[in-house]
């Protein structure tokens, strides 16, 4: 398929912030829409998220702005998973198209700042060989900012509207380049979006007071705000982002000649009222490309329980298959095919300035190519339902910790010393570090251990932390003892407090829920003056539904209601 209507290089994304005719404010917590359904499980009329309206007052709370099918023409739902195309580009490397097209291809690539937030996460400490991990956020934008994107995405009334980050996957490449991990975050995950500043017009989007769907972060200034949101939630330092649009998926799928996918029964993704991607396949393995590949990646109705989680599973299968296809398909040795792949891929991309040339992308692809498919692990962020949305669970934090500490999700790491994150600033003197101590020993079955905040405050004071104070103004519950800090300039202080008490650095976490260094004494330290850290489990949680990159037998389960 020939891509048309490609944006000029200086055009980064569509017009944001203006309401469409008939749009009204709502006090609901979150909202979104897509071709296949607007939430993990449908509970009401179609809605669309992320558009600011007059009188909305910015973020201002848990509410958002909704356009209801009851109050205006129904918007077709839409969702797209572009990340396979991005991963394909990175694995293959665009430099194969030849230096002749170097300047032209560089001109195709759109650029944007990496992080629009105020808070930064320090890079991990290099290993003994001087290597550091690489973390790349893959983003799929649903922008309707070109004729091609509009045709593929539908919803004509949204042309030029606020885009949503409906695909978010973190790709982690280990420091020793032996393994790769991918974590998908469902686009309707409830998170707090941090303060972000639009690099184009300087508009400041204040931090949300309540939780919003993570896909709205893209409308708060661009992909750099999605990066900031991820770092805020996970504590993982992100080195780069790569964002792709609708047209990029179709053109990339055509360029590689199709990707093998499997279903365990005939499927037709179409409901009686016209919802669904339209995907129609026979039982077994089929090669999909072009718009059919797009249908596979956006299908929700027909896979498993019809949730966004099932769709993520299908995307992982597609990505794994595309990686294997690119590595094994000899036809891609053709210069013309490689040139076409490079042309289509670079037109589809928006990247940070650290990846803004073909040379930089090729260097990155060289690093990624070192990993064999059998050492690639695809996962979905462990979550639980909150109404029709989802939120991270404790297993999600376990998954994030493994990535932070560069532990392979496939469990095949050789014994190695875990890396720790270096402090952004050195710690102040102990007697100059204000520390607030909270009693978080309450559990579902046990009342809080009386006086623990005061006891541990006394312990800190004995160790020289003269500004430690007990906080008795609230009631907290924390399974494990943790030290929290609000900003990078206090990271060193927080680590120093943890070190003094024997608390592992993995339990030092940045959080906007605190205003200073805050020690929460958890249920694992209900008595005594010596903290004994629980033995950490370095296994990938089962709830992450890990899929190995070499698994070519995986097949999507078809809901019987969608067979033919």
């Amino acid at each position: 398929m020939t891509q048309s209507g490609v944006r000029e290089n200086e055009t980064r994304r569509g017009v944001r912030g203006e309401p469409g005719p008939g749009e009204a404010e709502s006090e609901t917590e979150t909202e979104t829409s897509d071709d296949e359904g607007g939430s993990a499980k449908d509970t009401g009329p179609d809605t669309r998220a992320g558009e600011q309206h007059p009188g909305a007052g910015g973020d201002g709370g848990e509410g958002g702005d909704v356009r209801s099918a009851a109050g205006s023409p129904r918007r077709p739902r839409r969702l797209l998973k572009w990340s396979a195309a991005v991963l394909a580009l990175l694995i293959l490397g665009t430099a194969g198209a030849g230096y002749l097209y170097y300047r032209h291809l560089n001109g195709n690539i759109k650029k944007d700042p990496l992080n629009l937030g105020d808070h930064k996460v320090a890079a991990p400490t290099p290993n003994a060989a001087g290597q550091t991990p690489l973390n790349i956020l893959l983003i799929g934008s649903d922008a309707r900012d070109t004729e091609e994107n509009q045709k593929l995405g539908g919803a004509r009334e949204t042309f030029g509207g606020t885009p949503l980050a409906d695909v978010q996957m973190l790709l982690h490449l280990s420091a020793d380049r032996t393994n790769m991990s991918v974590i998908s975050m469902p686009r309707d995950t409830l998170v707090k979006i941090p303060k972000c500043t639009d690099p184009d017009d300087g508009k400041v989007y204040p931090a949300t007071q309540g939780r919003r769907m993570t896909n709205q972060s893209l409308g708060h200034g661009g992909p750099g705000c999605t990066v900031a949101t991820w770092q805020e939630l996970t504590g993982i330092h992100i080195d780069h982002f790569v964002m792709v649009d609708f047209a990029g998926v179709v053109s990339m799928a055509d360029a590689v000649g199709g990707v093998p996918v499997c279903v365990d029964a005939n499927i037709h993704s179409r409901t009686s009222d016209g919802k669904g991607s339209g995907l129609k396949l026979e039982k077994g393995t089929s090669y999909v490309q072009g718009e059919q590949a797009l249908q596979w990646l956006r299908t929700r109705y027909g896979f498993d329980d019809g949730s966004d989680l099932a769709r993520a599973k299908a995307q992982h299968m597609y990505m794994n298959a595309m990686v294997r296809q690119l590595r094994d398909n000899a036809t891609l040795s053709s210069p013309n095919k490689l040139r076409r792949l490079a042309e289509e891929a670079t037109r589809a991309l928006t990247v940070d300035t650290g990846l803004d040339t073909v040379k930089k992308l090729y260097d990155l692809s060289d690093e990624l190519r070192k990993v064999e498919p059998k050492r690639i692990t695809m996962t979905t962020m462990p979550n639980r339902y909150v109404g029709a949305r989802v939120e991270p669970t404790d297993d999600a934090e376990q998954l994030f910790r493994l990535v932070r500490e560069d532990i392979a999700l496939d469990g095949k790491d050789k014994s190695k010393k875990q890396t720790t994150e270096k402090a952004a600033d050195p710690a102040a003197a102990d007697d100059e570090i204000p520390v607030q101590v909270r009693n978080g020993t309450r559990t579902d079955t046990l009342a809080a251990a009386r006086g623990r905040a005061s006891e541990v405050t006394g312990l800190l004071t004995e160790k020289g932390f003269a500004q430690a104070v007990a906080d008795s103004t609230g009631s907290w519950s924390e399974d494990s003892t943790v030290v929290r800090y609000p900003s990078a300039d206090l990271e060193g202080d927080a680590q120093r407090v943890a070190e003094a008490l024997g608390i592992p650095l993995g339990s030092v976490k940045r959080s906007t829920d605190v205003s200073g260094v805050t020690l929460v004494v958890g249920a694992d330290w209900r008595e005594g003056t010596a903290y004994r850290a629980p033995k950490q489990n370095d296994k990938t949680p089962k709830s992450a539904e890990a899929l190995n990159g070499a698994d070519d037998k995986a097949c999507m389960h078809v809901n019987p209601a969608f067979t033919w």
Side-chain angles (χ1 to χ4, degrees), residues 100 112 210 332 369-370 375 429 454 469 484 494 562:
L100 179 64
D112 225 334
L332 289 178
R369 274 203 303 261
K370 295 174 182 177
R375 295 301 312 278
S454 296
V469 295
R484 295 193 172 97
F562 292 87

Side-chain angles (χ1 to χ4, degrees), residues 229-262:
T229 301
W230 266 80
Q231 291 197 157
E232 191 75 30
L233 176 68
T234 68
I236 297 170
H237 173 80
I238 295 177
D239 300 282
H240 301 291
F241 75 79
V242 179
M243 185 170 72
V244 191
D245 57 19
F246 282 110
V249 174
V250 172
S251 58
M252 285 287 291
D254 282 346
V256 301
V259 175
V261 296
C262 177

Side-chain angles (χ1 to χ4, degrees), residues 179 181 375 402 406-413 416 538 540:
N179 64 89
S181 305
R375 295 301 312 278
L402 295 178
D406 196 26
I407 298 173
L409 298 187
D410 62 6
K412 297 178 181 178
D413 258 343
K416 65 179 180 180
D538 290 342
T540 301

